[in-house]
Amino acid sequence: MNRYRAASNVKPVWVLAATCLISARAACGSPLLDPQAFLEKYGYLHDDHLIHNAVEMQSAIQKFQRLSRLPMTGELDSATLRQMAEPRCGVSDKGSQQVWAQRVNIIFTARSSAGGPSWRRRKRSAIKADKWYKSHLAYQIVNWPSHLSLGSVRLAVSAAFQVWSNVSGLAFQEAPQGPADIRLAFYEGDHNDGAGNAFDGPGGTLAHAFLPRRGEAHFDKAERWTLNGHKGHNLFMVMAHEIGHTLGLEHSPVRHALMSPYYRKLGRSLVMSWDDILAVQQLYGKPPGDRLVRLPGEVLHAALQEWEFMDVHMSDKSSGLPLYCHSGVFDAITADPNGTVLVFRGSVYWSVSPEGRVSGASPLRQHWADLPLAIEAAAFSPLDAKWYFFKGKHIWRYTGQVLDAGFPRQSTDIGLPRHPDCAFFYAPLGHMVLLKGSRYFVFNLQTFRREPYYPRKLKDWTGVPQGTNGALSRPDGRLYLFRQRHFWRFDPVKVRVTRVGQWVKELNWTGCGVAPQGNDIL
Ligand SMILES: [Zn+2]
Ligand SMILES: [Zn+2]
């Protein structure tokens, strides 16, 4: 949030549907959006009283549409509501369009750039610009997210600071203890920044930060943070964005800017846009020797991937248990025709024999050479004895280790969703099933098309939660679905979930090696 805005918004930002049965988060996935609360929180509507007239609402929606590059209808159409539901930074967009216009204006009027430019002295601002008056800054990681190793978080944080020092006159150094200029911390829910700035669980607001010189960035601890191809949100990208705020940058309306308020994946393109560079240089000048270094996302991606691979081996070796048993997180799970369970995470996978013996991590692409760096869903189909892998908008089909001709194919061409949560072969239907959010899709492997009359609501699978990261059928015909540390066992005869538990402790066939315990909810 911006430090000039009083945290007076005491209304909860998200309104949960009243129909959630098991628990709010488990049953409903993402919470429903309250557009008015959204527009207040992000600075499009004033928040000093709770009633806004139609004209105010329309103009606020138009401002939001302009910054989000949507058609300016002034109405809460479906594209606008979809954009509001996108994961984003919790800092207000108030005034950012104006700051951006002034920034671009400076190029054309050729006024002096670095060193506290006068255009930043807006009415709501103090006389001095919101910047640091020194070029060497110390940062501290106050606490750590779950699911990621300390080493990889430290690497991601230092890389995130480096993208800024590479293009500006700033230099950063970690101060593990003692005083630091910029402090990075992970918090859950309300953390004393005012009720309007409480974190909202997975999705929605991912993080927020303060303009100088408070020097703080906060990250929602409930997010699934990742550093490479995993499902979840890339900590490096969000970290680099929030660091931008701690240096004095506001949101950018430029589509591929790091300072765009919406979450951006770490892709192949450059991490920094021209607008980010312009903004930081107008505050702190150019790097010494005027040497700009702009790393493509691809390079960072490969470095993080490599790091994780080392991490996986070190973790497996030191504890004797695979990494996914400690963190409780994997990307996909399936079983081969011999009953060997395969667990996928990032660029590696593990095999668990029917007796529960687990192999060391193997590189994914050593076995399936044409797959991407990581996958989102995997399923072996006993019907055609083939392997199916899903990532983004693509499907790969393998016979053993050989990619079938014509693959990868586009999921949308055959009526399947992009980025499925999980995929599994379901014998009672004789087809493959893909879950995605609140819906499921039935995929006919013989016609290679989605079955007609689908997708349908996930509610058909009584008790199955949204957002599962993997699922597979066991030899007894029961289906097991996984989300983080929990599993749901679905009985195809009773057509409902009959057991919920913690898979690391209770399912020894996952390779985490502890005797099973009963927890039946029948
Ligand atoms: Zn932001
Ligand atoms: Zn905070």
Side-chain angles (χ1 to χ4, degrees):
M1 76 249 66
N2 193 302
R3 71 189 167 110
Y4 306 109
R5 292 183 68 230
S8 60
N9 183 1
V10 289
K11 282 202 322 168
V13 173
W14 307 103
V15 178
L16 283 171
T19 49
C20 298
L21 296 174
I22 304 172
S23 80
R25 190 66 56 187
C28 296
S30 334
L32 292 180
L33 185 78
D34 174 351
Q36 184 180 315
F38 178 96
L39 293 167
E40 285 173 0
K41 177 177 163 100
Y42 292 109
Y44 295 94
L45 273 176
H46 59 82
D47 56 4
D48 14 311
H49 58 80
L50 298 178
I51 296 159
H52 303 279
N53 63 38
V55 179
E56 274 181 313
M57 275 301 277
Q58 194 187 25
S59 123
I61 294 164
Q62 275 175 341
K63 273 192 257 168
F64 171 75
Q65 288 168 332
R66 187 170 62 183
L67 195 75
S68 310
R69 300 167 303 267
L70 293 168
M72 286 167 60
T73 61
E75 276 165 35
L76 289 168
D77 46 42
S78 61
T80 304
L81 289 169
R82 236 192 341 265
Q83 184 66 44
M84 286 180 173
E86 287 289 306
R88 61 161 289 156
C89 171
V91 174
S92 169
D93 301 333
K94 193 173 187 174
S96 57
Q97 182 82 27
Q98 193 191 343
V99 171
W100 177 76
Q102 287 165 326
R103 173 158 73 239
V104 173
N105 208 25
I106 282 183
I107 313 175
F108 297 111
T109 54
R111 274 190 276 160
S112 80
S113 55
S118 59
W119 54 265
R120 292 197 104 253
R121 292 176 200 162
R122 277 164 292 143
K123 202 175 174 188
R124 68 196 180 91
S125 167
I127 295 300
K128 287 179 180 171
D130 309 316
K131 61 168 278 185
W132 297 91
Y133 291 93
K134 54 183 178 180
S135 59
H136 283 69
L137 296 169
Y139 67 86
Q140 195 164 79
I141 308 168
V142 176
N143 60 5
W144 308 80
S146 358
H147 315 316
L148 289 174
S149 75
L150 304 195
S152 54
V153 172
R154 189 162 267 146
L155 181 83
V157 171
S158 92
F161 275 104
Q162 211 184 325
V163 297
W164 291 108
S165 59
N166 279 345
V167 297
S168 72
L170 290 168
F172 303 99
Q173 200 176 4
E174 187 181 350
Q177 274 122 32
D181 302 302
I182 298 168
R183 292 158 57 85
L184 312 163
F186 293 81
Y187 294 122
E188 223 163 335
D190 191 348
H191 54 285
N192 295 326
D193 276 347
N197 294 311
F199 283 131
D200 54 2
T205 304
L206 304 177
H208 58 221
F210 296 84
L211 292 179
R213 289 179 299 281
R214 177 157 164 187
E216 269 183 70
H218 300 159
F219 302 83
D220 189 345
K221 201 170 185 171
E223 296 297 334
R224 180 173 165 186
W225 294 109
T226 77
L227 284 175
N228 49 37
H230 297 322
K231 298 172 189 174
H233 295 113
N234 189 289
L235 181 62
F236 162 78
M237 289 301 278
V238 177
M239 187 66 70
H241 174 101
E242 298 305 329
I243 289 169
H245 288 308
T246 68
L247 301 178
L249 273 62
E250 300 201 31
H251 283 149
S252 166
V254 173
R255 187 179 291 271
H256 296 294
L258 181 58
M259 292 314 292
S260 156
Y262 293 96
Y263 172 69
R264 224 181 90 202
K265 287 195 162 123
L266 176 59
R268 287 172 197 279
S269 55
L270 293 166
V271 176
M272 298 291 245
S273 76
W274 60 270
D275 189 52
D276 302 308
I277 295 173
L278 197 60
V280 74
Q281 290 192 351
Q282 283 182 356
L283 289 177
Y284 302 103
K286 294 182 174 171
D290 212 358
R291 276 198 303 271
L292 277 193
V293 185
R294 291 171 78 189
L295 285 182
E298 223 170 5
V299 172
L300 288 158
H301 197 114
L304 291 169
Q305 203 81 34
E306 196 57 39
W307 178 271
E308 191 199 32
F309 192 67
M310 309 248 304
D311 230 23
V312 163
H313 281 280
M314 273 152 53
S315 157
D316 284 15
K317 214 180 263 173
S318 63
S319 68
L321 275 183
L323 182 68
Y324 65 85
C325 297
H326 300 293
S327 64
V329 172
F330 55 79
D331 296 335
I333 188 168
T334 191
D336 77 4
N338 307 317
T340 298
V341 172
L342 287 91
V343 182
F344 299 84
R345 178 180 154 135
S347 60
V348 299
Y349 72 98
W350 293 261
S351 316
V352 188
S353 74
E355 299 78 40
R357 272 196 315 275
V358 63
S359 71
S362 310
L364 186 62
R365 298 211 279 197
Q366 195 170 300
H367 199 82
W368 295 284
D370 306 281
L371 287 183
L373 286 170
I375 53 156
E376 290 168 332
F380 177 79
S381 151
L383 188 75
D384 52 6
K386 287 182 189 292
W387 299 86
Y388 292 81
F389 297 97
F390 302 83
K391 167 86 197 259
K393 57 184 180 192
H394 289 112
I395 305 178
W396 289 257
R397 191 179 75 189
Y398 276 86
T399 308
Q401 281 181 257
V402 181
L403 183 69
D404 285 350
F407 286 87
R409 289 183 60 174
Q410 302 251 354
S411 315
T412 41
D413 289 351
I414 52 175
L416 296 178
R418 296 167 179 211
H419 305 290
D421 294 334
C422 66
F424 53 91
F425 183 79
Y426 193 59
L429 289 173
H431 296 307
M432 189 169 287
V433 174
L434 276 77
L435 307 188
K436 167 80 193 257
S438 60
R439 301 187 300 173
Y440 71 100
F441 298 71
V442 173
F443 175 24
N444 184 327
L445 300 178
Q446 278 149 339
T447 62
F448 213 79
R449 290 206 68 81
R450 184 188 72 208
E451 281 285 274
Y453 312 115
Y454 292 95
R456 284 178 53 92
K457 290 239 156 52
L458 189 64
K459 282 185 201 138
D460 292 352
W461 302 73
T462 307
V464 170
Q466 280 187 36
T468 46
N469 47 315
L472 83 169
S473 292
R474 292 293 294 161
D476 65 4
R478 283 156 163 174
L479 175 71
Y480 286 79
L481 301 109
F482 300 83
R483 194 179 70 186
Q484 310 249 7
R485 294 188 173 277
H486 292 93
F487 76 89
W488 287 256
R489 188 185 71 191
F490 184 85
D491 187 325
V493 179
K494 296 185 173 123
V495 205
R496 63 188 166 88
V497 168
T498 52
R499 188 176 163 192
V500 181
Q502 296 206 23
W503 55 270
V504 169
K505 292 183 190 157
E506 297 168 41
L507 304 178
N508 61 345
W509 49 263
T510 58
C512 300
V514 181
Q517 299 160 357
N519 181 27
D520 288 66
I521 56 163
L522 273 183

